[in-house]
Amino acid sequence: MIKVSATPNALNGHPNGETRTPSGKANVSQNGQANSRLNRQANGHINGNGNGQSNGTTNSTLKPKSSGRWRARKNGSPQNKSSGNLQPEPNGGNGILTPKSSTSTLRSRKSGNLKPTSNASRCTPTPQPEEVFKFTPVSFTDDFRHIINGQKVTSDRHHTILNPANKLLLASVPVANRAQLDETTDSALAAFPSWAATPIEHRQAAVRNLGQLIGQFMQDFKILLTKEQGKPIDTHAGWELAGAEIWCYGMSEMSLPEETVLDDNERVAIVRHMPLGVVAAIIPWNFPVMLLIWKIAPALVAGNTVIVKPSPYTPLCALKIVELAQQVLPPGVLSCLNGDDDMGPWLTGHPKIAKVAFTGSTATGKLVLQSAAGSLKRVTMELGGNDPAIVMPDVTPKAVALDLFRCMFNNAGQLCAAAKRVYIHEKIYDELRDELVAIARTAKVGDGLDPATMVGPIQNPMQYEKVKGFIADCKANGYTFAVGGEVDPNSPGYFIPITIVDNPPDESKIVREEPFGPIIPIMKWRDEDEVIRRANDTEYGLAATIWTNDMERANRISLKLDVGTVWINDFPYIHPAAPFAGHKMSGFGVENGKLGLHEYTSSHVTYRNKTVRY
């Protein structure tokens, strides 16, 4: 999972300072009632002239949106900036890791007003009241169905969803067939022209409302997410849900204004960014809510319609988010189909789908790319990572140990950007290893609904067996376990003990491959050039971390690491305005920021000769 910024000033305006809405009139004939509902609910300002006037055919007036963005909740979820850093509770004494509080602006859920904390930036503009839309509740315990053209639909076939902490039945969900996919694609394609013509400020308002629905039902989503995914409810499920909510607000501030690239005596050339059509969003099981929002928020803002395919292991939150979203979106704009192994190839090869946004393993990503190539679909891929952490000799082991531990075992290691290989300078290796072991021995591995749990289960049986295979390989090769390494066969769920492998060789399986679980190798290093070479010696290139007090040295090393993101003394902070992308086998294309928004558009250039000749 990621750490997200809730700093209000960070997203006070669009990257280019303004938003230009489409000059054409909005076509409301297809979904007039739904679009009219959107117009009434639009609660954001138009970031160009700030006058709140729409340039579409609707006659509703948009209320200026307050300059603050972020929301607080009273139901047990984080009320501060969702930082993603974890620290022991000051009064529990139970070693629970909770998000650190830091500077932020908070919105009171009760009043809808934005209230700065005592340490909020003095530059924060005085916030204005903002209407909070109230969604009609849905059941979070049953009635899990597809959403096709705005309607809940079932199928003849079903499969069961298990709680990974106890292997007990959570729900039975329908499995979509090919005919239902075709129906969903047709409805999404039919909804596309009207949605693409809807003024951008209304599309942005709809995405903000997606954030509001997550906030309004935060506690319900936290419980459901913990049950289906396994992560601890407040420290990790709450963190993911808060991040998803914030991401909706952040992405709703993005736009791609038209740009005049040529204006001379003879002609004008204008570049516009046009939506693609129907987007397939394929979501993994490790962060089924956050990575859902990473895809649907920019796709909708850009004017596309979206079909969501959640992981068959974790479809429940996605189905409920899309069900709730029908209250603020026209039918067909956002759909969700639960499927089995057939659904992925059907989507990626479907001739009416214009783009695939995929997060998952590198092996599966290759198959997605092959399937999409037949119709030359646009593809964005965020794939696997074997991310190095480099610890410099100038740090104090006791001071850095907890932050490094979080970087290693966030979400039970089921995080693409988590540290998978940790290189510790030989001068502090033994001391830091012992500090990490001490934390591991006190960290509770258990059911995420237990407030004392620090590390939850592996999400599914396939991944559980894979992680066990890494432990078995380490044993077979005689590697030393600093802690862990013994899996309880009588465990009620898919639990793997926190495991640290002590200085295995670079060619070992645990170093070369990504385990995606709570088993991490730590290795010694001596020379700076040597550790950079070892860190880059992988087919992956997603992210890396550097831990040091020497910023000049850290900056120098960071530029030599062949990865998309480097954190220095921080993890895993990601901002909605910053691009996130991998190098090498960690994928291609970009998520987040303006570059990520570009991924959901195609360029359209108009040349106009200034001389009227005919």
Side-chain angles (χ1 to χ4, degrees):
M1 184 45 195
I2 62 169
K3 168 180 169 183
V4 294
S5 170
T7 307
N9 290 335
L11 288 172
N12 258 353
H14 294 296
N16 283 351
E18 67 171 353
T19 299
R20 301 181 189 178
T21 56
S23 58
K25 294 183 177 181
N27 176 7
V28 297
S29 60
Q30 178 187 350
N31 292 305
Q33 182 179 3
N35 280 342
S36 176
R37 180 173 68 243
L38 256 180
N39 299 337
R40 292 195 304 270
Q41 294 161 359
N43 59 358
H45 68 292
I46 305 174
N47 285 309
N49 52 28
N51 62 11
Q53 297 297 318
S54 168
N55 66 344
T57 60
T58 61
N59 58 8
S60 64
T61 299
L62 299 181
K63 298 179 181 179
K65 190 179 189 301
S66 90
S67 59
R69 302 290 177 234
W70 316 122
R71 309 167 60 81
R73 290 160 295 278
K74 295 183 178 181
N75 55 6
S77 57
Q79 291 189 352
N80 313 91
K81 170 180 170 183
S82 177
S83 70
N85 281 342
L86 302 176
Q87 61 185 2
E89 284 281 5
N91 12 348
N94 55 9
I96 302 172
L97 298 184
T98 58
K100 287 181 179 177
S101 62
S102 56
T103 303
S104 65
T105 291
L106 305 179
R107 174 182 294 141
S108 166
R109 287 295 315 285
K110 183 176 181 180
S111 66
N113 293 334
L114 297 173
K115 299 181 179 180
T117 57
S118 59
N119 62 346
S121 169
R122 295 179 181 179
C123 299
T124 304
T126 303
Q128 301 296 321
E130 178 178 315
E131 178 184 353
V132 177
F133 181 73
K134 296 299 182 183
F135 294 87
T136 301
V138 300
S139 171
F140 285 84
T141 58
D142 57 13
D143 196 27
F144 296 98
R145 288 187 278 173
H146 315 299
I147 303 297
I148 301 175
N149 200 25
Q151 301 297 315
K152 293 191 290 186
V153 178
T154 190
S155 302
D156 293 334
R157 291 178 55 224
H158 287 68
H159 69 225
T160 55
I161 305 300
L162 303 180
N163 184 331
N166 53 32
K167 304 178 187 176
L168 298 179
L169 174 67
L170 267 181
S172 176
V173 292
V175 178
N177 56 45
R178 181 58 190 258
Q180 288 177 314
L181 171 59
D182 291 339
E183 179 186 356
T184 306
T185 306
D186 288 343
S187 67
L189 196 59
F192 170 66
S194 178
W195 181 247
T198 299
I200 188 171
E201 70 272 13
H202 292 267
R203 301 198 302 260
Q204 291 169 327
V207 170
R208 282 193 293 275
N209 281 337
L210 290 177
Q212 288 185 5
L213 73 83
I214 292 172
Q216 184 168 327
F217 299 104
M218 178 68 67
Q219 189 64 21
D220 297 297
F221 275 120
K222 284 169 57 179
I223 294 171
L224 184 60
L225 177 58
T226 296
K227 287 182 176 180
E228 72 168 331
Q229 204 284 331
K231 59 188 61 181
I233 184 166
D234 285 320
T235 56
H236 289 75
W239 173 31
E240 178 173 352
L241 267 299
E245 181 188 8
I246 287 170
W247 228 255
C248 289
Y249 301 128
M251 293 308 302
S252 75
E253 293 300 308
M254 301 288 177
S255 66
L256 298 174
E258 66 180 36
E259 180 184 5
T260 300
V261 295
L262 172 66
D263 189 353
D264 59 20
N265 292 332
E266 296 183 4
R267 59 183 56 84
V268 174
I270 299 174
V271 179
R272 297 180 178 89
H273 305 280
M274 314 299 286
L276 299 170
V278 181
V279 172
I282 302 178
I283 317 301
W285 48 259
N286 59 330
F287 286 94
V289 175
M290 189 64 186
L291 295 177
L292 168 73
I293 297 301
W294 274 30
K295 292 168 175 54
I296 66 176
L300 293 175
V301 167
N304 301 282
T305 55
V306 184
I307 300 172
V308 174
K309 179 206 171 295
S311 166
Y313 292 118
T314 56
L316 304 183
C317 283
L319 289 168
K320 289 303 174 183
I321 287 175
V322 176
E323 179 183 346
L324 280 164
Q326 304 312 305
Q327 299 178 38
V328 297
L329 290 170
V333 170
L334 180 61
S335 304
C336 189
L337 292 175
N338 179 61
D340 55 15
D341 291 342
D342 291 328
M343 182 56 66
W346 289 345
L347 275 169
T348 56
H350 201 289
K352 295 181 181 180
I353 290 176
K355 174 182 173 63
V356 175
F358 172 80
T359 299
S361 70
T362 297
T364 304
K366 292 178 182 180
L367 299 177
V368 169
L369 187 60
Q370 292 172 5
S371 179
S375 52
L376 293 181
K377 286 179 175 56
R378 305 290 184 90
V379 178
T380 299
M381 291 190 171
E382 196 263 285
L383 306 177
N386 195 8
D387 313 271
I390 300 175
V391 186
M392 297 296 171
D394 60 4
V395 303
T396 302
K398 192 173 188 64
V400 77
L402 185 56
D403 283 341
L404 181 59
F405 185 87
R406 298 179 195 122
C407 183
M408 297 162 66
F409 297 107
N410 190 301
N411 199 39
Q414 299 167 114
L415 169 59
C416 57
K420 311 294 196 314
R421 300 170 288 143
V422 180
Y423 296 95
I424 302 172
H425 194 274
E426 62 182 9
K427 289 184 179 179
I428 60 168
Y429 181 89
D430 290 347
E431 186 178 354
L432 182 51
R433 177 199 59 205
D434 293 345
E435 292 288 346
L436 293 171
V437 168
I439 296 172
R441 292 191 188 282
T442 61
K444 179 174 181 179
V445 178
D447 190 329
L449 293 176
D450 182 345
T453 291
M454 184 185 295
V455 175
I458 298 298
Q459 199 286 317
N460 58 76
M462 180 180 68
Q463 186 63 27
Y464 176 70
E465 293 300 326
K466 177 182 176 181
V467 177
K468 286 171 58 180
F470 277 89
I471 293 176
D473 181 80
C474 290
K475 289 182 176 180
N477 286 281
Y479 306 147
T480 300
F481 294 102
V483 67
E486 295 298 331
V487 179
D488 181 1
N490 299 315
S491 172
Y494 301 118
F495 293 108
I496 297 288
I498 296 172
T499 300
I500 298 174
V501 186
D502 191 355
N503 205 32
D506 283 359
E507 65 273 13
S508 61
K509 177 183 174 73
I510 189 61
V511 175
R512 302 301 302 174
E513 301 181 20
E514 180 187 29
F516 220 64
I519 173 172
I520 306 293
I522 60 174
M523 287 86 68
K524 296 179 182 179
W525 68 273
R526 176 181 301 173
D527 177 74
E528 182 178 304
D529 290 338
E530 165 217 337
V531 76
I532 293 171
R533 176 189 59 77
R534 292 167 69 188
N536 287 331
D537 185 20
T538 175
E539 63 182 5
Y540 299 103
L542 188 62
T545 58
I546 301 171
W547 306 87
T548 182
N549 293 308
D550 186 340
M551 290 302 101
E552 181 180 350
R553 189 180 194 186
N555 289 329
R556 181 178 68 247
I557 292 175
S558 71
L559 295 176
K560 297 179 180 180
L561 296 177
D562 191 4
V563 297
T565 301
V566 176
W567 288 279
I568 299 172
N569 300 332
D570 198 10
F571 178 82
Y573 186 99
I574 300 179
H575 192 281
F580 186 77
H583 295 187
K584 299 185 286 189
M585 300 289 277
S586 289
F588 56 85
V590 177
E591 292 195 289
N592 305 326
K594 287 194 69 175
L595 291 177
L597 190 58
H598 269 287
E599 297 272 332
Y600 292 92
T601 67
S602 58
S603 297
H604 180 281
V605 182
T606 300
Y607 288 93
R608 176 172 56 83
N609 195 303
K610 293 182 176 180
T611 302
V612 179
R613 303 174 181 174
Y614 312 109

